[in-house]
Amino acid sequence: MSRRHSRPDAPFRLYCFPYVGGLPGEYLRWDERLTDVEVCGVVPPGRGERLFEPAIDRLDPLVDAIVAAVPFRPPFALFGHSLGALVAFQTARVLTAAGRPPACLFVSGHRPPQLPQGDVPIHGLPPDEFRSEITRRYPAAPAELVADDELYGHVIDTFRADLAVFETYRHVPGPPLPCPLVVLSGVDDAWTADELSAWRGHTSAAVAVHLIPGDHFYLRHQATKAVEIIGTVLRGLS
């Protein structure tokens, strides 16, 4: 787990989960605006300071490893974007079953988990084809990273494991969460407001859906809007 500032007396902790191949560092910058929240970045194996640990390629053991490593000190909320939303959702389920539910779950850039994912699976492609597809789908890696074959190889391994988590996931129905659920998505992402509203089946509490200008990677340009929504929700729960 990483954070910029320790705020032990903050009324909330916000634990943020990275997307495919991502790092939680961009979320840590949010604490400049969420000054009454302790913003924490969840760092799974295979990235950041844990780059040389083997990445985990299935959802359940990944969530088990996260729950074992992160304190999730209450009161807390969870935020995840894309793959991170799926991991945050399953983490919320596991913590709730253990009697430690979050106060709120924020899911961003992810379809309701019971809906099929539309992309063709790529995690099993041969190395050269996989690397080409990663280059096509995701932002270009820094030149100095690509030039370091060993280091970039670890990054590619993390991408493969992350995509395996996403592509092998099969939804298993379970009890609804007891906490509010806030859905954020880019207006031009793959899912309509009606499709996103199907998240309502995963909580017995309130659900809100927010569509923000942009595509799947709307957070790059509209982080301020997302942070405003998160801050308003958390202050309303305090």
Side-chain angles (χ1 to χ4, degrees):
M1 187 183 74
S2 59
R3 59 192 168 196
R4 276 192 170 185
H5 300 106
S6 176
R7 292 173 177 153
D9 298 325
F12 268 99
R13 268 143 293 285
L14 178 67
Y15 294 92
C16 301
F17 295 72
Y19 48 80
V20 169
L23 293 166
E26 64 188 274
Y27 304 133
L28 301 186
R29 293 193 290 269
W30 294 358
D31 76 352
E32 297 172 2
R33 299 185 183 95
L34 297 172
T35 55
D36 52 348
V37 175
E38 186 174 54
V39 181
C40 306
V42 175
V43 185
R47 74 201 73 218
E49 61 264 33
R50 305 182 69 182
L51 179 63
F52 295 100
E53 297 179 37
I56 299 173
D57 64 0
R58 294 296 184 271
L59 182 61
D60 287 345
L62 174 59
V63 169
D64 288 345
I66 289 170
V67 170
V70 178
F72 293 109
R73 180 175 162 230
F76 67 91
L78 307 179
F79 173 91
H81 177 71
S82 195
L83 172 67
L86 179 62
V87 180
F89 168 65
Q90 187 62 22
T91 301
R93 290 177 119 189
V94 169
L95 290 172
T96 297
R100 303 164 57 200
C104 187
L105 172 63
F106 296 90
V107 291
S108 168
H110 199 286
R111 71 192 189 283
Q114 71 273 23
L115 300 185
Q117 68 106 353
D119 293 332
V120 175
I122 66 168
H123 74 272
L125 289 176
D128 289 345
E129 292 181 42
F130 183 77
R131 186 173 293 205
S132 296
E133 186 63 19
I134 290 299
T135 302
R136 184 185 72 81
R137 285 193 186 189
Y138 296 97
E144 61 272 19
L145 174 60
V146 177
D148 187 326
D149 285 341
E150 181 182 4
L151 187 58
Y152 192 50
H154 283 289
V155 171
I156 290 295
D157 288 345
T158 296
F159 269 97
R160 189 184 292 276
D162 282 357
L163 283 166
V165 170
F166 177 69
E167 292 171 354
T168 62
Y169 172 75
R170 299 296 179 269
H171 178 64
V172 177
L177 297 169
C179 64
L181 203 158
V182 178
V183 183
L184 302 99
S185 182
V187 172
D188 299 319
D189 206 342
W191 310 285
T192 66
D194 284 345
E195 289 171 322
L196 292 170
S197 68
W199 273 104
R200 297 181 188 278
H202 296 287
T203 179
S204 59
V207 175
V209 177
H210 297 271
L211 297 179
I212 298 172
D215 57 14
H216 185 64
F217 295 103
Y218 75 92
L219 279 175
R220 293 178 192 159
H221 309 292
Q222 298 289 345
T224 298
K225 179 61 177 175
V227 171
E228 287 175 359
I229 292 168
I230 292 167
T232 298
V233 171
L234 293 182
R235 282 188 288 273
L237 294 173
S238 299

